[in-house]
Amino acid sequence: MERSATNPATYTPPLKDEESIRKVLKEGFVCHVAYIDTTSTPHRPLAVPMVYGYKDGGGDALGTLYVHGAPDQPQHPDPSRLHVLVGNSKGLGVPVCLTVTLLDSLILGRSAYHSSVGYRSVVVKSTAYAIEEKDDFGTLETLVEHIVPGRWADTRQPSTLEIHGDSGATHPGTMVLRIGLDAPAEATFKARTGGPKSEEKVDVDSDYWAGTLPITEVYGPPSPASNLKSGIKTPDYLTKYSRKG
């Protein structure tokens, strides 16, 4: 949907719009995951920002989101962490509400009341589960490729120690959670596009500026590590990096 100062305001109520849901999940890579910390008394809600990878299910299936983290660390134990709660759930998983929001513009009405933000968002109500050990490498590849396409084949692959850790605190390992998007889960799309909402004539006739300020995501030129070996060229997937597909 086109967004401009001259277009009227358009609100999209929560919809099970699979095409729009896919577009938002593919463009973003940071989500907020809300859950209930059942280790506290009384129980308390928590919301945590996380990076995610999206695997499209194809056809009518929306697929799966994967979020990255680590199991409990003996040096810094925190029983309220989502990954710890999932690990202690005996396979039952932990109910979560996950959101992804993309900002497109600031919408400035003549009246402060009619000012808003242009956005596209997805809300997922689902359950987070620990993935099977045999799927560890595949889900990590999904995460890496979702954030930087082409990077997985251009890095050293994770070692067994990095994935599974050891019995000490030196290498806690990695833990990836899967969050399904299809039934019984629910995923919905919501958006606000266009310019300021229709205002009263007294506002339209006023001398206050009204319109939109587009928000554009820009990635700067790659900056090599200070100890990068000489002769290594910057990969094309970084110099041409974009989230817009």
Side-chain angles (χ1 to χ4, degrees), residues 7-190:
N7 285 347
T10 302
Y11 294 91
T12 302
L15 297 173
K16 294 181 180 179
D17 181 341
E18 294 180 357
E19 181 181 357
S20 295
I21 290 171
R22 285 186 169 96
K23 286 181 178 179
V24 169
L25 295 180
K26 289 177 180 179
E27 186 173 333
F29 62 83
V30 176
C31 64
H32 287 80
V33 184
Y35 60 98
I36 299 297
D37 171 19
T38 55
T39 65
S40 65
T41 305
H43 296 173
R44 59 177 179 166
L46 296 175
V48 182
M50 296 181 177
V51 297
Y52 70 87
Y54 172 49
K55 185 174 183 180
D56 194 332
D60 294 332
L62 282 172
T64 307
L65 293 178
Y66 297 101
V67 294
H68 176 266
D72 204 10
Q73 303 179 38
Q75 289 180 327
H76 306 286
D78 183 358
S80 71
R81 290 176 55 247
L82 177 59
H83 288 68
V84 178
L85 293 174
V86 172
N88 293 333
S89 70
K90 298 180 180 180
L92 298 177
V94 172
V96 297
C97 180
L98 179 150
T99 62
V100 177
T101 303
L102 304 176
L103 298 178
D104 294 315
S105 65
L106 300 180
I107 301 170
L108 308 171
R110 297 170 183 85
S111 164
Y113 179 77
H114 289 303
S115 296
S116 186
V117 174
Y119 68 92
R120 291 161 290 144
S121 68
V122 169
V123 175
V124 177
K125 300 173 185 177
S126 187
T127 302
Y129 296 97
I131 63 166
E132 301 292 333
E133 286 192 4
K134 62 183 177 62
D135 297 325
D136 281 339
F137 284 90
T139 53
L140 283 175
E141 180 178 359
T142 297
L143 272 161
V144 172
E145 285 296 301
H146 176 80
I147 298 171
V148 185
R151 184 61 179 170
W152 182 258
D154 196 32
T155 58
R156 176 182 65 79
Q157 303 301 292
S159 68
T160 300
L161 182 62
E162 289 169 332
I163 295 290
H164 301 301
D166 56 22
S167 57
T170 307
H171 296 284
T174 300
M175 187 176 186
V176 178
L177 305 181
R178 62 176 175 87
I179 299 173
L181 302 174
D182 300 292
E186 179 181 291
T188 54
F189 169 79
K190 185 180 178 183

